[in-house]
């Protein structure tokens, strides 16, 4: 009888790993509900921790009107970096914004705190996993300085991935997905994927040992907004979600049965 209990307990516990499902946990939610007369810098997100830092051109209502090259960033701490190589290392940054009403472009993505914008921001290795929305409706995807896009077109020296030309003036929702579940710190440094509410998936980039020679292991330490001279536009929402692995309810019950079986065996 003891042998049977041990087998049943082992089966119950092992079945948990085969029935994992995914759950979404909001890390950051920013609704940009402040006043147009107030700066975004110095405010905290609607949900989550951290304080926005950056230039006065970024306003608390999500609008921007810049007189020079500017950026704003929100410190994420180590929440993404700590999940490298784990089952919880999947993140999605979802942003809704309008096409620029003036200027060339503005962007959303990840980067270093207080990094400058435009060429200094992107070519200075301060931006990773970013999307650039241009006034024409065109989207450029930026994996990071020195990274050669795998199978996609690189633009000039920027290594941006040229996205589709779309109608200007429309509101768009972008998703930047960072997948670090298979990160090993040697040959696999994660993958970033980009999608758009209008056309769906628009590109991806895998960080490998070859790309790491340019920038090393990407440091996902902040959310970064950026724009060039006199750019004007509006961010209406921003959410960073962690997709975690959790056992299904039935698996939890089996795990409990397995633990109970082991306890009874010990008491016998």
């Amino acid at each position: 009888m003891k042998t049977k209990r041990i087998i049943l307990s082992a089966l119950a516990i092992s079945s948990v790993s085969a029935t994992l499902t995914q759950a979404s946990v909001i890390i950051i939610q920013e609704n940009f509900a402040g006043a147009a007369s107030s700066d975004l810098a110095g405010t905290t997100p609607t949900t989550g921790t951290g304080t926005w830092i950056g230039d006065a051109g970024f306003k608390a209502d999500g609008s921007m009107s810049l007189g020079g090259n500017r950026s704003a960033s929100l410190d994420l701490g180590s929440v993404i970096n700590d999940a490298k190589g784990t089952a919880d290392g999947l993140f999605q940054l979802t942003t809704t914004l309008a096409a620029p009403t003036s200027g060339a472009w503005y962007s959303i993505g990840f980067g270093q705190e207080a990094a400058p914008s435009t060429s200094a921001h992107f070519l200075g290795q301060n931006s990773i996993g970013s999307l650039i929305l241009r006034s024409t409706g065109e989207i450029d995807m930026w994996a990071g300085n020195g990274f050669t896009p795998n199978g996609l077109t690189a633009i000039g020296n920027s290594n941006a991935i040229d996205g589709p030309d779309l109608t200007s003036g429309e509101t768009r929702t972008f998703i930047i997905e960072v997948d670090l579940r298979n990160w090993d710190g040697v040959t696999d440094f994660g993958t970033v994927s980009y999608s758009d509410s209008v056309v769906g998936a628009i590109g991806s980039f895998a960080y490998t040992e070859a790309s790491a020679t340019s920038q090393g292991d990407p440091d996902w330490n902040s959310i970064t907004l950026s724009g060039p001279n006199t750019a004007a536009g509006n961010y209406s929402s921003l959410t960073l979600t962690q997709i975690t692995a959790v056992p299904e309810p039935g698996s939890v019950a089996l795990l409990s049965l397995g633990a109970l079986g082991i306890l009874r065996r010990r008491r016998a």
Side-chain angles (χ1 to χ4, degrees):
M1 291 296 292
K2 291 183 179 180
T3 301
K4 290 182 179 179
R5 287 174 182 162
I6 293 171
I7 292 173
L8 288 172
S9 301
L11 287 173
I13 294 173
S14 64
S15 68
V16 175
S17 61
T19 54
L20 289 177
T21 187
Q22 292 182 327
S24 298
V25 178
I26 294 177
I27 305 300
I28 298 292
Q29 174 72 54
E30 178 57 85
N31 294 333
F32 298 105
S37 58
S38 301
D39 292 338
L40 180 63
T43 66
T44 57
T46 308
T47 301
T49 60
T51 301
W52 285 99
I53 63 172
D55 301 289
F58 290 91
K59 299 302 181 180
D61 69 340
S63 62
M64 54 177 286
S65 181
L66 306 179
N69 302 332
R70 297 291 187 264
S71 68
S73 61
L74 180 67
D75 185 12
L76 296 174
S78 61
V79 62
I80 296 182
N81 292 321
D82 284 350
K84 290 177 177 178
T86 74
D88 297 330
L90 181 62
F91 297 84
Q92 291 180 343
L93 177 61
T94 303
T95 310
T96 301
L97 66 168
T101 55
S102 67
W105 57 268
Y106 64 142
S107 75
I108 176 68
F110 298 92
Q112 305 296 318
E113 281 194 58
S117 62
T118 61
S119 60
H121 175 60
F122 290 98
L123 297 180
Q125 303 187 20
N126 292 313
S127 179
I128 52 175
S130 297
L131 276 171
I132 301 167
L133 179 61
R134 300 187 182 278
S135 56
T136 60
E138 177 185 316
I139 307 163
D140 288 329
M141 293 153 280
W142 180 273
N145 187 46
F147 295 144
T148 302
N150 43 336
L152 298 172
T153 303
I155 305 301
N157 294 325
S158 69
N159 284 339
I161 306 169
D162 192 17
D165 293 331
L166 300 172
T167 304
S168 63
E170 60 189 317
T171 299
R172 315 286 286 281
T173 297
F174 294 140
I175 297 178
I176 303 171
E177 183 174 275
V178 179
D179 190 347
L180 304 171
R181 292 174 295 181
N182 294 322
W183 179 96
D184 60 16
V186 180
T187 61
D188 189 328
F189 296 92
T191 300
V192 60
S193 302
Y194 309 90
S195 61
D196 168 59
S197 58
V198 176
V199 296
I202 51 178
S204 65
F205 182 81
Y207 300 94
T208 66
E209 72 275 15
S211 60
T213 60
S214 299
Q215 191 171 352
D217 189 8
D219 185 7
W220 309 88
N221 67 9
S222 68
I223 295 172
T224 302
L225 315 178
S226 181
N229 301 321
T230 65
N234 193 84
Y235 301 89
S236 57
S237 69
L238 179 155
T239 305
L240 177 65
T241 304
Q242 183 176 20
I243 313 299
T244 62
V246 296
E248 293 180 353
S251 299
V252 174
L254 285 173
L255 181 59
S256 299
L257 286 173
L260 182 60
I262 291 173
L263 180 61
R264 287 179 175 174
R265 178 180 63 83
R266 288 178 178 174
R267 289 178 176 176

